[in-house]
Amino acid sequence: MMVWVIVGVSLAVAALAAIGFFAFGVFRAAKDVSKELARASRLLADAAEPVKTGLAQVALGNGSRSRPASSEAEK
């Protein structure tokens, strides 16, 4: 009977160790994914900067579609 208790406890400890090892692996993978998502977010923000600047200029009337006052006076 004592042998079965030792075997059972050993199997339980092994199962808990396997679950912990798996959970640690999932945690590390999630951490890596989080880093990659942050990097992608920064790249997208850097790529969107010229678009935001252009939209701001158009909204303020300083965009490329607005003509200088001198060309309007010539017409």
Side-chain angles (χ1 to χ4, degrees), residues 1 3 13-14 29 31 33 35 39 43 45 50 53-54 56-57 60-61 73-74:
M1 180 71 177
V3 172
V13 169
K31 188 176 172 184
V33 168
K35 284 181 184 178
R39 181 176 168 268
L43 288 174
T53 303
Q57 287 178 351
L60 293 173
E74 292 174 3

Side-chain angles (χ1 to χ4, degrees), residues 22-53:
F22 176 74
F24 182 69
V26 169
F27 172 75
R28 286 198 52 183
K31 188 176 172 184
D32 291 342
V33 168
S34 175
K35 284 181 184 178
E36 287 300 318
L37 286 175
R39 181 176 168 268
S41 175
R42 285 191 302 271
L43 288 174
L44 284 173
D46 290 345
E49 190 61 37
V51 174
K52 289 187 337 188
T53 303

